[in-house]
Amino acid sequence: MKQETLQRNLPTPLAVSVSPHIRSEESVEKIMWTVVACLLPPLILSIFIFGIQTLIITAISVASCVATEAITQKLLHRPITIKDGSAVITGLLLAYIIPPGVPYWMPILGAVMAIYVAKHLLGGIGFNIFNPALIGRAFLVATFPVAMTSAWLPPIKHGSVFQYMGSGVDAVSTATPLFILKHYGISGVIEKFGSLHSIYGSFFVGWRPGCIGETSALLLLVGGGYLLYKRYITWHIPVSMIGTIAILTWSFGGEKLFTGDPLLAILSGGVMLGALFMATDYVTSPSQPTGKILFGIGAGALTVLIRLKGGYPEGVCYAILLMNPLTPAFEQWFGPKRFAPPKGAAK
Amino acid sequence: MAQTLLTFPKGGIHPPESKELTEKLPIEPGPAPKEVDILLAQHFGAPCKPLVKKKAEVKEGDLIGEVEAGLGANIHASVSGTVKNIGKAPHPVSVSAPAVTIQVDDHAEPPSYHPRDWSPLTKEELLDAVKQAGIVGIGGAGFPTHVKLSPPSQARVDTLILNGAECEPYLTTDHRLMLEHSREIVEGAKIILTILGISTCHVGIEANKMDAVEAMNRAIAEAKLNGFTIRVDPLQVKYPQGSEKQLIQSVTGRKVPGFGLPFDVGVIVQNVGTTKAIYDAVVLGKPLYEKVITVSGRGINRPANLLVKIGTRISDIVEHLGGIKPGLAKVVLGGPMMGFAVPSFDVPVTKTTSGILFLTEDEIDTSSHGQCIRCGWCLQACPMGLSPNEIGIYVEAGRAEDTSQFGVFECFECGCCAFVCPAKRPLVQFIRLAKSKAKK
């Protein structure tokens, strides 16, 4: 190298590469780690709601995801990309959508399923069809249905953060709002959680049973709002998904037509987390406005369908998974508008 | 006055402008080199045939190369001296190309040019003057101007647009030309309008050069327009505002069809520098052998706007400006978005060189690239509505032949896609590869 430089009488080696020679400041790492930062506030709040258990489960999930990625990429002879932060996001999201009271080995299994199978066996980042965290959760629900639907923790009292340490599936279980809504109707919810007004308040801020990521709509909106401000996500998917859930629940979720509770619907379960952080995943969702809106509407409609007519109280996870495979089609059908294609060109 | 700025609706990016390094610096004379390498291929088309032999004496402005067949433009000596060699010189794109090397005679008397009244000249005589002077599109494409100004008769050209956008970061040549030579540019516009037999001219100037807008407006107001309409249209600052198709859409709303040319929608576009060269050729009888370039970047000791003789080597310019600074990492001929990186200082300036950028490590980006994460930002940035992400993925998968469906042949390689890509994928490089392999 130095020899070559001297031969050309150059004072310093020059980079010779193809234009453009300047690039934007954004990078994959910057995007991913910003998303991680936006996802942390709900975790911190959850420690105060459910205790230190949530931090342990999350740490296990994140560590397993990162380790699985490193090992998988090494075995598949691919460059190791754990520094980009995408495995960390999957680890966080996986921990946020499982009950916090599960045994510690469960997130490890979920992580292997999410990262090894759903992400890397399907081609690695950019090529996976399904949202990896959601596949991880779907696998766990199918394999361990009891734990995955009952290991909830009620909110702790007076900051006894270590209350649930060491508890497994036999921990004090309680039911989530959506479970009660499905089986006991809105009156059951009011009986268990208080008046509708206090429900909206507590659900918005986060003080009720559920997964870590399901609790605080407020913190999720703040995080999602920052991603919107940075233009890392756009309004299309969140607004169309949340809007569809609200409208359809209002229409069909009550005793009679148009008597459903849209606010309860969007504040409970994984709607905020799903609409802001999972349905907006770059790889598994469309990138153009029309495709995004249709994707959001589809995910919202399927969520309500599963909630009202399906066997599960919560439908966000499967709704998004069912819309994921449509993404390549939407990308092709609703691609960017060509400036002025030549006559007779292939569209 | 709050004027709505015109622009194109789809795509585009806003890179940092970096024009503060040179936008206030008046044009100054370039170095007086000892030798120049005048490339015989400085235009769109085949290289010229040299008209001189070794040891021949040439005077500044002499014709030394002419077109053999097909598309091309005359080449003139930019200095007086002796032909040292007819061989090869480094070329920014083709690595090396045929060239005439002239040893400069410092004591030669430079020719003097005097303005003449061009109103008695016919269209044909005006066009011939442009042809004899070897004028090509100075903006960078190098298309022979006398050919551009003779559109086919079935094209109903009704509008001339002067391109003063200069949307590439760092470059300020057109800006300074419009500030310092606005009257010549307006006169050149009148000449072009006469050649084309039309009367409407728009001058598109980006809004980061409002002083140039004012200078051009003053020159238009003072000129005797004789029935011509010349109007300045300030444009939104956005890259690639100066791209022909985007400029035409911004100013007239017309869209040039894919694989089409501006005259298909009744428009002819000329860079303001080319317009001034036309003035020089017709009014002064001066051929094209020197031009203004911006030398900028944080790797050169003294950034400047220089009037250089064609054929001057980068090494002479570096010396003239006080040498390079430590931290120099890349030398680019042209702008940072579409320019060519060169491997040595032996490359000479040509008629289509708009600038030389000496970029330091923190001005460029040499990170390695990752997989496409399907963010879709390239789709938003592409002004032609293409799918660079798909082209890149197909090329990496060995399926470059199937990429024409993604619009690969409509791409003019502006670089917006690669600029925004967070995975730093070399999308323009993928597209160039795809163009060579894709089935039309």
Side-chain angles (χ1 to χ4, degrees), chain A residues 2 57 89 141 158 162 238 243 248-249 274 281 305 309 326-327:
Chain A
K2 198 167 164 122
I57 289 284
I89 296 182
V141 169
H158 314 303
F162 297 93
L248 289 180
T249 311
D281 172 46
L305 185 65
K309 297 292 177 193
L326 284 176
T327 297

Side-chain angles (χ1 to χ4, degrees), chain A residues 175-182 189 193 203 208-210 214 264 268-269:
Chain A
T176 63
L178 276 178
F179 180 87
I180 295 176
L181 186 64
K182 190 172 187 71
V189 176
F193 296 107
F203 282 21
R208 35 74 165 184
E214 292 178 343
L264 182 64
S268 49

Side-chain angles (χ1 to χ4, degrees), chain A:
Chain A
M1 178 63 144
K2 198 167 164 122
Q3 186 68 16
E4 249 249 54
T5 313
L6 292 173
Q7 276 167 2
R8 289 176 182 270
N9 299 321
L10 283 176
T12 171
L14 294 179
V16 181
S17 54
V18 175
S19 61
H21 308 286
I22 52 174
R23 298 283 170 89
S24 113
E25 303 270 296
E26 297 292 355
S27 68
V28 174
E29 290 76 22
K30 208 163 161 205
I31 300 170
M32 299 293 168
W33 290 106
T34 305
V35 174
V36 168
C38 291
L39 280 172
L40 289 181
L43 174 65
I44 299 172
L45 179 70
S46 75
I47 299 176
F48 293 101
I49 305 179
F50 303 119
I52 204 79
Q53 183 88 336
T54 60
L55 184 61
I56 297 176
I57 289 284
T58 306
I60 293 176
S61 176
V62 170
S64 316
C65 281
V66 173
T68 308
E69 177 151 284
I71 296 171
T72 305
Q73 287 176 321
K74 184 113 174 101
L75 292 176
L76 291 174
H77 302 294
R78 292 184 193 163
I80 297 188
T81 58
I82 52 180
K83 267 208 305 238
D84 69 6
S86 56
V88 174
I89 296 182
T90 304
L92 286 174
L93 289 174
L94 180 64
Y96 286 17
I97 55 180
I98 59 181
V102 294
Y104 295 154
W105 50 264
M106 223 172 265
I108 302 179
L109 272 182
V112 172
M113 195 64 194
I115 296 286
Y116 174 55
V117 178
K119 187 174 173 186
H120 290 296
L121 285 190
L122 288 193
I125 193 171
F127 295 100
N128 49 295
I129 306 173
F130 297 102
N131 187 308
L134 291 176
I135 291 281
R137 182 205 140 99
F139 164 74
L140 290 176
V141 169
T143 324
F144 308 105
V146 176
M148 287 295 291
T149 51
S150 64
W152 307 109
L153 304 172
I156 57 177
K157 297 186 182 15
H158 314 303
S160 41
V161 175
F162 297 93
Q163 184 172 350
Y164 296 118
M165 270 220 62
S167 323
V169 173
D170 301 350
V172 181
S173 322
T174 184
T176 63
L178 276 178
F179 180 87
I180 295 176
L181 186 64
K182 190 172 187 71
H183 295 282
Y184 303 106
I186 191 81
S187 44
V189 176
I190 295 176
E191 197 193 306
K192 176 89 185 168
F193 296 107
S195 78
L196 270 177
H197 263 280
S198 70
I199 289 176
Y200 295 151
S202 60
F203 282 21
F204 190 62
V205 173
W207 226 263
R208 35 74 165 184
C211 300
I212 300 168
E214 292 178 343
T215 48
S216 178
L218 172 66
L219 289 178
L220 289 166
L221 279 169
V222 168
Y226 185 70
L227 294 181
L228 273 165
Y229 158 74
K230 289 286 280 180
R231 311 239 195 117
Y232 287 165
I233 64 176
T234 64
W235 61 265
H236 303 82
I237 294 180
V239 168
S240 41
M241 184 168 164
I242 294 174
T244 305
I245 293 174
I247 293 173
L248 289 180
T249 311
W250 171 63
S251 308
F252 304 108
E255 307 282 324
K256 295 200 285 273
L257 269 185
F258 306 122
T259 55
D261 190 339
L263 204 50
L264 182 64
I266 63 178
L267 288 178
S268 49
V271 175
M272 285 298 165
L273 184 69
L276 290 165
F277 290 90
M278 304 190 116
T280 51
D281 172 46
Y282 291 150
V283 180
T284 53
S285 67
S287 62
Q288 299 301 290
T290 311
K292 284 182 175 182
I293 292 179
L294 289 175
F295 185 91
I297 292 176
L302 287 170
T303 300
V304 176
L305 185 65
I306 296 172
R307 277 181 175 184
L308 297 183
K309 297 292 177 193
Y312 292 107
E314 175 52 293
V316 170
C317 162
Y318 293 103
I320 297 177
L321 281 176
L322 285 167
M323 290 305 292
N324 284 155
L326 284 176
T327 297
F330 284 4
E331 287 289 73
Q332 195 173 29
W333 296 337
F334 308 113
K337 187 155 182 290
R338 292 276 190 92
F339 175 81
K343 309 203 195 333
K347 176 18 195 107

